Amino acid sequence: MDTKIVEINSESLAAAKKVIQDGGLVAFPTETVYGLGANAFNDDAVKEIYRVKGRPQDNPLIVHLHKDYDIGKLVYGVPSYAVKLADRFLPGPLTMVYKSRGTVSAAVSCGLDTLAVRIPSHSGAQEFLKYVDLPIAAPSANISKHVSPTSAVHVYADLAGKIPYILDGGNSEGGIESTVLDVTGEVPCVLRSGLVTREMIAEVAGDCTVFVPREGVKVRSPGMKYKHYSPDCRTMLFPYDEIGKAKEAYLRAQADGTRVYILCDAACAEQIGVKNILCLGKTEEDVAANLYGKLREGEKVADLIIAVAPEKQDGIMVGVMNRLTKACGGKE
Ligand code: AMP
Ligand code: MG
């Protein structure tokens, strides 16, 4: 199959709609990462997402809606705090997990009685969702476990030959996947951290907990148990206060003839003073936005990426650290 990267206009939207209506897959931009979308009502189309990505069958998908879609068709029992959160943060990088009406394909939620729903703010995503006017089930548009895509070119690198169209909406500004929030309980609970932080949610909802996976406790967001976001090369990860050790590891690797790069923020780059740097930028927002792009850049030139964690570990850095640990922390 020929894969085309296309600008978003009336012609490409019509072509994308036809593919979706026929049960096919289309990649589209969002403000977090690119998504690989299918009609959420079509069982075969949803199953095709898992097949194309090589995604584990027990890792449920998020349904994407345009902002005028009636969410009541898909979910029920929406608590008043979730309405407040929607008013404050949507459209935007916040996914909420509701009680499902079971109207979409059971493959979307892997048989769970809940449904994760997101209304992206990216104008291209909204145009696409409005044009097809269907709930679109979509995970990130990468091969499972590889680094998530933040540009059309990243999607092409992973999925060329497997899907007909990639709608090009430029670089994803947010850079890490949406916050996933369980709103089926009395108090909202963060299942995956992201750009909408626990503190931001608690301020609106009054309270907010964070799900911490423990041995023997059933994982509430199945996707979180897998190794993820990994570049196609060896990796190491050091905390910020071990910059010295990271530099030693770099110099040792270089002496062995290994093509080695340090992945870190601008403050660390200045301090560490080595030649091969994949710099994530200065601000927290820059670090989140550049993380996946730099991991993809790194895997092309390096045998080994040595990541140094940012000094700050709160706010949106919680989400960044979660991704960085899964990408470079070496845990299966
Ligand atoms: P991705 O689409 O690759 O960003 O992954 C979607 C994330 O949402 C994964 O971490 C899933 O486990 C999570 N998710 C999707 N649906 C549900 C659900 N019904 N309950 C809990 N987590 C969900
Ligand atoms: Mg993903």
Side-chain angles (χ1 to χ4, degrees):
M1 183 187 299
D2 192 23
T3 300
K4 290 193 188 73
I5 297 181
V6 289
E7 266 177 48
I8 301 175
N9 53 36
S10 49
E11 200 185 323
S12 62
L13 287 171
K17 181 175 181 169
K18 173 104 181 35
V19 171
I20 293 290
Q21 282 175 336
D22 291 347
L25 310 184
V26 171
F28 64 100
T30 83
E31 71 279 17
T32 59
V33 303
Y34 273 65
L36 177 62
N39 175 1
F41 291 131
N42 183 329
D43 218 33
D44 291 335
V46 174
K47 285 181 180 151
E48 183 68 2
I49 292 179
Y50 291 86
R51 202 187 61 74
V52 163
K53 274 185 63 101
R55 187 176 174 98
Q57 302 273 348
D58 63 347
N59 186 8
L61 309 176
I62 295 169
V63 161
H64 293 66
L65 302 179
H66 67 72
K67 58 183 171 32
D68 303 319
Y69 196 92
D70 177 11
I71 189 175
K73 285 185 194 165
L74 308 180
V75 304
Y76 69 98
V78 178
S80 58
Y81 70 76
V83 176
K84 283 194 216 160
L85 289 170
D87 282 347
R88 173 69 184 79
F89 298 115
L90 301 186
L94 174 66
T95 295
M96 291 200 266
V97 176
Y98 304 89
K99 290 175 186 152
S100 177
R101 284 197 189 281
T103 40
V104 298
S105 156
V108 172
S109 293
C110 306
L112 298 172
D113 57 3
T114 51
L115 184 67
V117 180
R118 167 159 140 71
I119 303 173
S121 61
H122 190 290
S123 60
Q126 280 296 320
E127 274 182 80
F128 166 62
L129 293 165
K130 185 87 192 171
Y131 203 92
V132 297
D133 198 24
L134 284 167
I136 295 292
S140 48
N142 53 295
I143 293 295
S144 191
K145 298 188 175 67
H146 191 214
V147 181
S148 299
T150 52
S151 73
V153 170
H154 293 165
V155 179
Y156 190 88
D158 278 22
L159 301 181
K162 297 183 171 178
I163 55 173
Y165 294 112
I166 301 167
L167 299 175
D168 189 352
N171 291 338
S172 300
E173 281 181 4
I176 59 171
E177 297 81 353
S178 61
T179 304
V180 178
L181 187 72
D182 184 340
V183 299
T184 61
E186 257 166 51
V187 173
C189 177
V190 174
L191 304 180
R192 175 175 76 186
S193 46
L195 297 175
V196 178
T197 65
R198 191 202 73 82
E199 292 76 16
M200 290 158 72
I201 294 163
E203 203 182 302
V204 175
D207 198 0
C208 180
T209 58
V210 177
F211 181 73
V212 184
R214 260 168 298 150
E215 206 79 19
V217 178
K218 193 165 179 273
V219 179
R220 270 161 69 185
S221 189
M224 300 306 286
K225 72 180 185 217
Y226 293 107
K227 180 174 164 137
H228 252 99
Y229 323 121
S230 319
D232 187 19
C233 64
R234 283 191 294 127
T235 56
M236 292 170 90
L237 173 62
F238 287 90
Y240 194 83
D241 60 6
E242 289 185 6
I243 289 183
K245 284 191 185 160
K247 184 166 182 171
E248 282 167 28
Y250 171 93
L251 294 173
R252 255 196 323 271
Q254 209 175 37
D256 287 348
T258 302
R259 294 179 307 159
V260 56
Y261 279 72
I262 299 273
L263 174 87
C264 64
D265 65 13
C268 168
E270 207 168 291
Q271 216 181 311
I272 204 162
V274 300
K275 184 164 152 275
N276 294 346
I277 292 271
L278 297 161
C279 184
L280 296 169
K282 226 176 183 161
T283 66
E284 291 175 45
E285 287 77 17
D286 290 344
V287 170
N290 293 326
L291 179 65
Y292 290 142
K294 288 292 169 185
L295 284 168
R296 280 183 180 255
E297 198 180 309
E299 70 183 1
K300 287 200 197 126
V301 292
D303 305 311
L304 170 65
I305 295 176
I306 300 178
V308 180
E311 185 172 24
K312 217 169 149 287
Q313 299 269 311
D314 58 356
I316 66 171
M317 288 298 108
V318 176
V320 168
M321 274 313 293
N322 165 278
R323 308 318 191 273
L324 193 57
T325 309
K326 288 195 169 156
C328 297
K331 275 195 201 145
E332 283 301 323

